[in-house]
Amino acid sequence: MDTFFNHISLLEDFYWSYIGWTLIVASGIYLTYISNGLQFRAIANFKENIINIYSHANTKQDGIHPFKLYFASVGGMVGLGNIVTISTAVMIGGPGAIFWILIASFSGMLLKYSEIYLGVKYRVQNENGGFDGGPMYFLQKAFKPKCFAYGFAVLLCLYGVEISNFVIIVDRIEHSFELNRSLVIFVFLLVVIYSSIGGVSRLANICSVIMPFFMIGYIVFALYVISCNYQLLPNFFQVVITSAFTGSAPIGGFVGSTMVIAAYLGISKTVYSGDIGIGYDSIMQSETKIVDPKMQATLSIYALVTDAFICLLTTVMVGVTGAWYTLNDLQPSDIVAELLSNYIMHSDIFMTLLLFFAGYTTIIAYLAAGIKCATFMSPTYGKKLYFTYAILAFIIFCNVSQTHAIIVMSLLSGLLALLNICGILKLKHDIEF
């Protein structure tokens, strides 16, 4: 098993060092250029766009309310990736990774917009009165061979079983409450499967309830920790800018990083956290009752802004407190918990509950997308086979370290982004910016 994961780690490292991060940045800059900076115009016209979307949402069209899908989107993006995975970018890549996180977020906004626009544009109505859409549909428009669409569906089926989030939550619950690990896995599996059976509609309802409380609570605590260290912020941000292009010198237990390491870690973890170019969001947003693809795609920009803001809070908190070089011997899920223990009473229990709700919404969100892909490949047997695979994968990877699970998901996200972005660039003339 160690040999297997070493090979996976080498592939993941090679892909994001030489292909992934340049692909995200270059395609994002290109789409920004041909769209005349659409993401910046969307942010500037936030109020007007929200009012326009809301007025078009109150119709009797088939589909799900766009603002419920916003929370479903945020539920898939905002979670452990913003707390656990994104912190590893700074722990390994140094403070300079924060600069590349912002670059990836703004570049990714146009990729996110494009994939959702195409998902809604080329969606098809299903027998349940809803819609099916996403890269597996628009890739058939981009490329004649169906192997691209089916290849994407297979990869997203694998990616849809969010093993890293599942392992992290099981580890935290077992550690915090000293419960039997097998019991934790069994009960958590039941909760996840029940929530996923209801599809995108149930997912949207769950996320609409959970995500506002999670986001507000975490933002308040993160801002509190940062404000306690406000004197260090000017020097810290100076280090962020300089080390983004020069790398970081070794400090304490920190091994040091180069610009390439800071860039690829910052971008790869942001892609994973924000579902940039991965295709999940395109599948979810295709269920909207709004007919105009541009409106739903614009709403997705605001979802990624939310994700980027929470990523920024986590990384600044980890950076300004010095946790990025003093706590790098801990498990990824223990870093923020240990950091908060110096500021908040009972932080261990608080972080366990926080990670549970954050990871739970992400797990059921991606599982719902995986079910869509499995059904696309086999309408008759896809859903049953996929649930069987998901249960086995969750159980097997509970015997694997968090780091190994994160590496597997990072590699899959890179391959999905590669396929998806090729389709987006091929269909760029079909997108209205």
Side-chain angles (χ1 to χ4, degrees):
M1 288 295 287
D2 286 340
T3 303
F4 170 76
F5 283 112
N6 285 338
H7 288 310
I8 294 294
S9 180
L10 287 173
L11 283 173
E12 188 261 354
D13 185 67
F14 174 81
Y15 175 85
W16 283 110
S17 295
Y18 298 100
I19 302 171
W21 76 275
T22 50
L23 176 70
I24 296 293
V25 173
S27 57
I29 291 173
Y30 174 68
L31 290 172
T32 300
Y33 172 74
I34 66 173
S35 68
N36 295 317
L38 174 64
Q39 69 270 56
F40 302 108
R41 289 187 283 119
I43 293 171
N45 297 323
F46 172 77
K47 183 178 179 180
E48 179 185 338
N49 286 335
I50 292 296
I51 293 173
N52 194 24
I53 293 168
Y54 182 79
S55 65
H56 283 78
N58 295 321
T59 65
K60 294 183 179 180
Q61 296 281 345
D62 291 333
I64 301 173
H65 197 284
F67 290 108
K68 282 192 173 184
L69 287 173
Y70 164 81
F71 284 111
S73 172
V74 171
M77 290 189 295
V78 177
L80 300 191
N82 303 76
I83 303 172
V84 177
T85 308
I86 203 70
S87 65
T88 63
V90 181
M91 304 295 285
I92 302 172
I98 296 176
F99 173 83
W100 294 103
I101 287 168
L102 292 175
I103 294 295
S105 295
F106 282 104
S107 298
M109 287 176 191
L110 264 296
L111 292 170
K112 175 84 72 174
Y113 174 93
S114 300
E115 69 170 346
I116 290 172
Y117 185 98
L118 293 170
V120 176
K121 182 173 182 176
Y122 292 115
R123 67 184 182 177
V124 296
Q125 191 149 18
N126 58 40
E127 58 186 16
N128 300 318
F131 297 95
D132 295 325
M136 56 276 199
Y137 291 92
F138 69 71
L139 284 173
Q140 294 182 80
K141 300 290 183 181
F143 307 104
K144 287 185 179 180
K146 290 188 176 182
C147 60
F148 291 95
Y150 281 91
F152 173 88
V154 169
L155 286 172
L156 194 60
C157 279
L158 296 174
Y159 189 80
V161 181
E162 251 292 357
I163 51 175
S164 60
N165 281 258
F166 196 89
V167 172
I168 288 168
I169 290 173
V170 169
D171 286 349
R172 288 297 307 178
I173 292 175
E174 182 191 24
H175 169 75
S176 298
F177 299 105
E178 298 182 353
L179 297 173
N180 179 273
R181 188 175 183 84
S182 298
L183 178 63
V184 173
I185 294 170
F186 176 73
V187 173
F188 192 31
L189 263 177
L190 288 180
V191 173
V192 167
I193 297 300
Y194 168 76
S195 303
S196 303
I197 288 173
V200 178
S201 179
R202 182 176 293 173
L203 165 68
N205 290 331
I206 292 171
C207 291
S208 297
V209 174
I210 292 177
M211 292 314 299
F213 291 104
F214 161 70
M215 289 189 296
I216 293 170
Y218 185 71
I219 288 170
V220 168
F221 283 117
L223 288 174
Y224 170 70
V225 173
I226 293 170
S227 66
C228 290
N229 297 274
Y230 73 93
Q231 311 98 315
L232 304 174
L233 286 174
N235 288 336
F236 175 70
F237 286 128
Q238 184 178 359
V239 172
V240 169
I241 298 300
T242 55
S243 61
F245 300 98
T246 61
S248 303
I251 301 177
F254 180 65
V255 296
S257 73
T258 64
M259 171 195 158
V260 172
I261 293 176
Y264 104 70
L265 281 166
I267 292 172
S268 66
K269 303 311 178 190
T270 306
V271 167
Y272 173 67
S273 169
D275 177 55
I276 296 173
I278 292 173
Y280 153 81
D281 231 0
S282 182
I283 296 171
M284 294 294 108
Q285 304 295 325
S286 296
E287 294 257 18
T288 182
K289 63 165 55 181
I290 287 184
V291 177
D292 184 359
K294 189 173 183 178
M295 288 187 185
Q296 193 67 39
T298 300
L299 190 59
S300 71
I301 291 177
Y302 304 134
L304 191 53
V305 169
T306 305
D307 176 84
F309 178 62
I310 295 178
C311 282
L312 182 63
L313 287 179
T314 298
T315 50
V316 170
M317 182 170 61
V318 169
V320 77
T321 58
W324 66 279
Y325 62 85
T326 60
L327 301 179
N328 55 14
D329 59 324
L330 299 179
Q331 283 266 56
S333 63
D334 294 333
I335 295 166
V336 175
E338 182 65 25
L339 186 161
L340 289 178
S341 66
N342 297 317
Y343 300 89
I344 302 169
M345 293 179 61
H346 310 296
S347 63
D348 186 65
I349 300 297
F350 164 75
M351 277 304 299
T352 299
L353 295 174
L354 188 71
L355 291 177
F356 173 80
F357 287 114
Y360 166 64
T361 55
T362 302
I363 291 168
I364 62 174
Y366 279 95
L367 202 55
I371 291 168
K372 284 268 193 180
C373 289
T375 306
F376 166 78
M377 291 188 291
S378 175
T380 306
Y381 302 108
K383 189 172 183 178
K384 293 178 182 178
L385 290 173
Y386 190 64
F387 272 124
T388 303
Y389 159 71
I391 292 169
L392 291 173
F394 282 136
I395 293 172
I396 290 169
F397 272 89
C398 278
N399 299 305
V400 173
S401 74
Q402 296 177 14
T403 303
H404 284 157
I406 289 172
I407 287 171
V408 170
M409 297 302 287
S410 179
L411 177 60
L412 287 172
S413 69
L415 297 176
L416 283 164
L418 179 62
L419 267 177
N420 204 8
I421 291 172
C422 287
I424 289 170
L425 295 177
K426 185 74 161 50
L427 296 172
K428 62 183 181 293
H429 297 301
D430 293 3
I431 304 170
E432 181 185 351
F433 293 108

